[in-house]
Amino acid sequence: MYTRPAYHVVAPRHWLNDPNGLIQWRGRYHLFYQYDPNPAGERKSWGHAVSDDLLRWRHLPVALEPGSGPDQDGCWSGCTVVHDGTPTILYTGVRNGVQLPCLATAVELDELSVWRKYERNPIIPEPPPGLELAGFRDHTVWLEDGEYRQLIGSGIRGVGGCVFLYRSPDLVAWGPPSIFLTASETAAARDTEMWECPDFFPLGDRHVLVTSAYGGDGMRRTLCFAGSYTDGRFAVEREQVLDWGGHYYAPQSFTDRRGRRIMFGWLPDPRGIEVRRASGWSGALAFPRVVRLDEDGLVRNDPVPELLGLRDRSRSVSGRALPARALDAGLHEGTALEIEIEFGEIEAGAVTLALRALGGGDPEETSVVLDGRCRVARLERRQKDRTVQACGGPARLEPGARLRVFLDGPVVEAFIDGGAPLAGFHGIWSQTERVAVSVSATDGVANIRRLDIWHLTQP
Ligand code: FRU
């Protein structure tokens, strides 16, 4: 049983998964998400939360609930698009295992708290015919040359994940589909059963497609393809994994009023159902991230600058060379911290930032390990001095690189210059009074120009 994250979005009661329908409307951020007030998370509604600053969220009543039509068993994931001045949701209705696209329009335009479903749902009557599909769900929509384009996630048996493209003049009548991209045209994830939650958007001088690869083995990974998009054709130039923490899934992004591309992702809860039931909540959303293209054409996602507003009392250490003995960065109250390290030259084989829980139950530690001469970044959770979880991916730490880590009870997010972020439930699970922070280097010297620690606080 672990404590509820205090700064990450969780459902008011029990189950949360994918972020949905993200939009900034009349200045306010609207976050919908897959919600079930029961712990098993079997019958999905659209939960709804709003914020003025991406930091403090206020829960509103459920926006969409299963009805008596094609969504009788669930209102699954989708997006919001503004059509003729009215926010309009495209989502997947589920009835008897059949997944079909449905539409709903906002009828209360202040808080977007009341939605009316289109009476002739579904808007596409069947999945693309003549193919053996492993699923047909989740939507991303944009307006192009006066026409709506929609991508729907799917998978073709024997081929793997794929995304279909549809066109419509009005969001209601959709022409025949074409294949937008299949796993066989990419290097990644050919073994996946289907691609869920497509998200497609322009970024810099490129376009980016993010899909959540659902494997036949139950594995889940978030893939990101950057390339060129012309005349309805997407040519992939680069592929990457969006987050190496092993828990970041089904992300969705939107453009805010300042023109920033902001992304939210779901962190699935690794606890068993009984433990989740007893704790009253399940799953969290990762902190919002700004998505951008870097100088090398790679997609980067960094925490939104608004998160600086959570910084409270701080403690700072500067100018240290780390030999084998750990740098003790003190004891800190509670389990909500942000830590930032700016490195100088690193000649070490590995550098470890360790957060050790004190005053709780069994000894527990969560660490960010920069390993293999800092070419690999890993999150690790240790209990009773045994590693119980570890996940990571490639990194390339240059002098001057920064490592930024957020700890919010069980949730950790690590952002590394020169590597993809790592997010997940690798944090401190027990009720802990204090956290001891230390940094150590093995097999050589690591120079630390500066290390700062802040307590997180709600502004
Ligand atoms: C991804 C997903 C989506 C689906 C939703 C159902 O996590 O499986 O494909 O629409 O969750 O809650």
Side-chain angles (χ1 to χ4, degrees):
M1 173 90 59
Y2 47 65
T3 46
R4 209 179 161 97
Y7 301 97
H8 287 78
V9 173
V10 297
R13 202 172 134 68
H14 291 305
W15 182 275
L16 162 150
N17 60 299
D18 315 355
N20 290 156
L22 306 175
I23 187 172
Q24 187 175 19
W25 176 251
R26 298 192 175 167
R28 191 171 286 153
Y29 293 102
H30 289 257
L31 171 63
F32 303 89
Y33 56 89
Q34 290 284 281
Y35 176 49
D36 186 346
N38 300 297
E42 279 157 353
R43 197 159 185 264
K44 307 295 171 58
S45 302
W46 276 42
H48 185 189
V50 289
S51 172
D52 292 324
D53 57 8
L54 294 170
L55 296 177
R56 285 165 297 193
W57 293 92
R58 181 163 57 90
H59 285 283
L60 294 183
V62 163
L64 283 182
E65 265 179 310
S68 54
D71 63 0
Q72 81 173 31
D73 298 327
C75 299
W76 284 16
S77 287
C79 60
T80 304
V81 57
V82 178
H83 174 50
D84 281 346
T86 307
T88 305
I89 287 175
L90 275 97
Y91 67 102
T92 299
V94 183
R95 173 167 56 187
N96 298 329
V98 179
Q99 304 160 0
L100 289 172
C102 293
L103 197 129
T105 46
V107 291
E108 183 280 298
L109 291 177
D110 185 28
E111 295 227 294
L112 302 185
S113 57
V114 184
W115 295 79
R116 188 189 300 120
K117 291 177 190 171
Y118 179 54
E119 61 278 12
R120 287 205 292 273
N121 276 336
I123 47 169
I124 295 175
E126 57 169 10
L131 292 166
E132 244 195 279
L133 300 182
F136 181 60
R137 57 178 181 267
D138 311 335
H139 316 261
T140 181
V141 175
W142 68 97
L143 193 61
E144 185 179 324
D145 300 332
E147 193 183 52
Y148 287 105
R149 314 267 166 125
Q150 171 181 205
L151 298 183
I152 300 183
S154 189
I156 303 173
R157 294 213 199 278
V159 175
C162 84
V163 170
F164 290 107
L165 172 68
Y166 287 82
R167 297 162 183 237
S168 165
D170 56 6
L171 294 180
V172 168
W174 293 90
S178 58
I179 291 180
F180 191 66
L181 190 72
T182 66
S184 58
E185 296 163 66
T186 69
R190 294 197 180 173
D191 56 337
T192 54
E193 192 177 298
M194 76 164 287
W195 284 350
E196 303 182 304
C197 302
D199 190 27
F200 186 64
F201 49 91
L203 195 65
D205 59 357
R206 287 285 170 272
H207 272 74
V208 170
L209 173 69
V210 174
T211 62
S212 289
Y214 182 70
D217 53 5
M219 278 286 293
R220 296 192 277 206
R221 281 174 295 261
T222 301
L223 306 173
C224 178
F225 306 104
S228 60
Y229 170 71
T230 34
D231 301 330
R233 298 285 313 155
F234 181 50
V236 175
E237 289 158 3
R238 306 205 60 154
E239 303 185 23
Q240 61 190 103
V241 168
L242 252 200
D243 184 294
W244 285 112
H247 287 173
Y248 192 82
Y249 197 69
Q252 190 181 93
S253 64
F254 68 107
T255 303
D256 79 351
R257 274 213 304 223
R258 289 157 60 183
R260 302 180 300 174
R261 194 77 202 174
I262 296 180
M263 182 176 277
F264 280 85
W266 168 44
L267 303 175
D269 200 317
R271 298 170 300 169
I273 170 106
E274 286 313 322
V275 187
R276 287 191 269 119
R277 188 193 308 277
S279 70
W281 66 279
S282 173
L285 295 181
F287 277 145
R289 300 173 176 183
V290 178
V291 188
R292 66 179 170 88
L293 213 55
D294 74 10
E295 314 72 51
D296 301 323
L298 281 171
V299 175
R300 297 285 316 246
N301 42 12
D302 307 313
V304 293
E306 281 87 339
L307 293 178
L308 297 174
L310 294 178
R311 289 178 171 178
D312 193 14
R313 282 163 297 142
S314 72
R315 173 172 178 147
S316 208
V317 178
S318 57
R320 293 287 178 92
L322 284 186
R325 209 165 64 79
L327 161 66
D328 175 359
L331 285 180
H332 302 269
E333 293 298 319
T335 51
L337 299 175
E338 182 193 334
I339 298 148
E340 188 176 63
I341 301 178
E342 187 186 318
F343 292 100
E345 293 288 334
I346 304 180
E347 303 293 341
V351 179
T352 301
L353 166 69
L355 312 173
R356 178 164 269 266
L358 299 175
D362 290 330
E364 226 193 321
E365 191 170 285
T366 183
S367 2
V368 182
V369 186
L370 304 169
D371 210 349
R373 308 219 76 84
C374 299
R375 291 289 181 267
V376 173
R378 210 168 47 239
L379 284 181
E380 279 184 13
R381 196 166 75 82
R382 290 165 71 76
Q383 239 176 349
K384 295 188 203 165
D385 293 321
R386 216 170 43 85
T387 301
V388 289
Q389 253 175 281
C391 218
R396 177 171 290 272
L397 226 64
E398 305 292 345
R402 282 176 320 151
L403 165 67
R404 204 167 158 203
V405 178
F406 294 90
L407 176 72
D408 185 10
V411 174
V412 185
E413 298 198 51
F415 297 87
I416 304 154
D417 286 344
L422 300 99
F425 281 94
H426 306 273
I428 292 172
W429 286 31
S430 63
Q431 306 273 348
T432 297
E433 287 153 27
R434 284 186 307 277
V435 173
V437 180
S438 64
V439 194
S440 57
T442 49
D443 189 16
V445 176
N447 287 291
I448 290 190
R449 289 189 189 151
R450 190 176 50 80
L451 178 152
D452 291 298
I453 303 176
W454 293 270
H455 289 242
L456 300 186
T457 186
Q458 206 67 266

